[in-house]
């Protein structure tokens, strides 16, 4: 009978290789081999002298593996948690995405003059004087547009009704640049003047 124990011991490296190919984890494979050997020793009385010991051990190992899979499916996967590990759950983050979407929509509803000033100061971090120089407007106008723009943004973000932006009086509007742009009424006169 002592020869059977030596023969079982000789099969351990092959059992380990097969177990590692089944479970793809060294520790789990060693546990599987240990369970297989324990079961084989308990059921040694069922082994028939002269039969293939290797095939008998591999059958036990394979059946142990299948039983583990079945029990894990029934029980579900367990995850060990410790205080040192980071939490598996995270706080909800969709609120930030919704706020950004609402801000984008609110910025789109601002009048162009206010939106330009808000973006240059808030997004680009420019100083009031630099914004005034960039847009070619007085610094006081920059301040008033920022104030009105922020107020409108606050109202839009909380869903409060906003009055529609009023049209600037004609005397306060900046004239459009005249480089290469001709009015429709001026174009025929220029063509007529250039004709021989």
């Amino acid at each position: 009978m002592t020869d059977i124990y030596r023969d079982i011991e000789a099969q351990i490296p092959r059992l380990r290789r097969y177990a590692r190919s089944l479970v793809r984890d060294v520790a789990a494979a060693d546990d599987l081999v240990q369970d297989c050997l324990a079961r084989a020793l308990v059921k040694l009385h069922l082994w028939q002298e002269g039969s293939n010991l290797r095939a008998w051990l591999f059958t036990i190992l394979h059946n142990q593996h299948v039983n583990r899979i079945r029990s894990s499916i029934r029980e579900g996967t367990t995850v060990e948690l410790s205080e040192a590990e980071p939490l598996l759950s995270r706080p909800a983050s969709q609120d930030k995405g919704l706020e950004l979407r609402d801000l984008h929509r609110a910025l789109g509803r601002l009048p162009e003059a206010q939106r330009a000033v808000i973006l240059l100061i808030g997004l680009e971090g420019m100083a009031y004087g630099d914004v005034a120089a960039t847009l070619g407007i007085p610094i006081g106008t920059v301040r008033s547009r920022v104030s009105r723009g922020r107020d409108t943004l606050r109202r839009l973000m909380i869903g409060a009704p906003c009055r529609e932006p009023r049209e600037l009086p004609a005397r306060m509007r900046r004239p459009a640049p005249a480089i290469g742009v001709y009015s429709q009424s001026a174009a025929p006169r220029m063509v007529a003047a250039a004709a021989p």
Side-chain angles (χ1 to χ4, degrees):
M1 233 5 177
T2 56
D3 291 337
I4 188 69
Y5 295 119
R6 233 181 268 125
D7 291 343
I8 290 175
E9 186 180 357
Q11 295 299 322
I12 291 176
R14 291 186 181 110
L15 290 170
R16 278 190 174 150
R17 274 196 304 270
Y18 182 57
R20 287 179 183 173
S21 68
L22 283 176
V23 297
R24 295 186 177 102
D25 180 25
V26 176
D30 288 342
D31 290 344
L32 185 59
V33 170
Q34 183 177 354
D35 289 347
C36 167
L37 293 173
R39 183 147 181 98
L41 292 174
V42 168
K43 301 290 183 177
L44 194 56
H45 65 280
L46 297 174
W47 181 72
Q48 296 175 359
E49 188 80 33
S51 63
N52 190 342
L53 179 65
R54 180 178 174 202
W56 186 66
L57 290 172
F58 272 67
T59 302
I60 293 173
L61 182 105
H62 183 77
N63 290 339
Q64 288 292 106
H65 175 64
V66 170
N67 290 340
R68 281 185 173 195
I69 290 174
R70 286 181 182 155
S71 66
S72 69
I73 289 172
R74 279 192 307 269
E75 295 170 1
T77 305
T78 57
V79 177
E80 295 293 326
L81 293 178
S82 69
E83 293 182 18
E85 294 177 5
L87 294 176
L88 295 177
S89 64
R90 294 183 179 189
S93 61
Q94 67 268 25
D95 291 343
K96 296 296 179 191
L98 293 174
E99 285 178 10
L100 284 174
R101 182 202 62 192
D102 292 345
L103 178 62
H104 187 306
R105 287 181 181 168
L107 281 168
R109 291 184 60 193
L110 282 179
E112 181 61 37
Q114 290 177 8
R115 182 174 43 241
V117 172
I118 291 285
L119 290 175
L120 288 174
I121 291 173
L123 185 64
E124 298 298 325
M126 291 178 73
Y128 283 46
D130 295 338
V131 172
T134 301
L135 298 178
I137 56 176
I139 196 166
T141 304
V142 170
R143 287 190 177 117
S144 67
R145 287 183 185 173
V146 166
S147 175
R148 285 194 314 264
R150 285 179 180 163
D151 183 50
T152 305
L153 272 179
R154 275 189 217 100
R155 289 173 185 264
L156 289 171
M157 291 297 288
I158 63 171
C162 294
R163 55 177 199 248
E164 290 299 316
R166 56 191 170 121
E167 188 69 27
L168 289 175
R171 61 182 171 75
M172 295 181 74
R173 286 190 214 136
R174 255 181 106 195
I179 302 171
V181 178
Y182 300 104
S183 67
Q184 290 179 351
S185 60
R189 283 190 302 229
M190 292 175 69
V191 171

